[in-house]
Amino acid sequence: MTWAACLCWFGCSSKPAETTDVMAEGSPKFQQYYVHGKELYTTYCSNCHQQSGTGLGRLYPPLNVSDYVDANQSAVLCLMRNGKEGELTVNGKSFNKKMPAIPALTDIEIAEIATYIYNSWGRTKGIVEVQQVSRVLASCDTLR
Ligand code: HEC
């Protein structure tokens, strides 16, 4: 490899691994969901789960790195609206504290928050459509 090629290897191909990266690639609808979802996350979720998604000790489980979030998208949609109680395991650690329901969240707001969560902190799942969210929310009882 010549010097020039070597410089370019570092200079040209390094992309910042930020969420703006994902946004630049998304459709206008995706961007709208993502930006609004982030605002809603700040309002409704960050008190407990923290703005950076790390959670808080043994009290509030993390969302940024969470095998639960990765594996249970339907349950995540349902718990935003209905809350969650009982023991829950995230990354091998158990949590057991009630998450209050947030009944004020509309289907589209839940879709927006989900779009934010599933496209942040290294996740790149793309838009979570409101039609899909409504379908899942209508069947939350059977998920419990
Ligand atoms: C008052 C604090 C509080 C608020 C506000 C809150 N949560 Fe939670 N959340 C919790 C607790 C406590 C648990 C663990 C529930 C259990 O032990 O059964 C939890 C669990 C979770 C889980 C599953 C476990 C994990 O970390 O992967 C997800 C996903 C989640 N919350 C997302 C959200 C989202 C999204 C919002 C905002 C719409 C939100 N939460 C608002 C306290 C909160």
Side-chain angles (χ1 to χ4, degrees):
M1 202 190 281
T2 68
W3 244 126
C6 189
L7 280 177
C8 198
W9 181 255
F10 291 109
C12 309
S13 67
S14 72
K15 269 194 179 172
E18 283 174 17
T19 43
T20 46
D21 231 11
V22 174
M23 286 193 36
E25 286 160 23
S27 64
K29 185 178 168 192
F30 173 87
Q31 293 189 26
Q32 191 191 322
Y33 269 48
Y34 185 93
V35 169
H36 199 208
K38 184 174 186 176
E39 286 167 13
L40 291 163
Y41 178 86
T42 303
T43 305
Y44 288 105
C45 321
S46 67
N47 270 355
C48 297
H49 294 287
Q50 310 300 303
Q51 191 63 46
S52 54
T54 55
L56 198 66
R58 303 306 299 246
L59 286 180
Y60 303 124
L63 305 182
N64 60 343
V65 179
S66 163
D67 54 1
Y68 187 95
V69 169
D70 292 335
N72 302 292
Q73 184 166 318
S74 297
V76 170
L77 300 174
C78 288
L79 67 77
M80 286 193 228
R81 167 116 6 116
N82 301 327
K84 175 107 188 136
E85 46 187 323
E87 195 173 342
L88 181 135
T89 305
V90 180
N91 309 331
K93 280 193 203 159
S94 80
F95 294 83
N96 195 350
K97 184 174 158 66
K98 187 175 189 252
M99 170 169 157
I102 314 177
L105 290 175
T106 62
D107 291 12
I108 190 148
E109 287 172 331
I110 289 177
E112 289 167 338
I113 297 171
T115 297
Y116 174 65
I117 291 174
Y118 283 99
N119 293 280
S120 295
W121 307 309
R123 296 190 189 95
T124 53
K125 293 210 167 202
I127 193 164
V128 180
E129 297 283 358
V130 65
Q131 292 84 345
Q132 180 198 342
V133 169
S134 298
R135 244 191 336 266
V136 171
L137 288 175
S139 63
C140 285
D141 287 346
T142 59
L143 277 174
R144 282 187 193 171

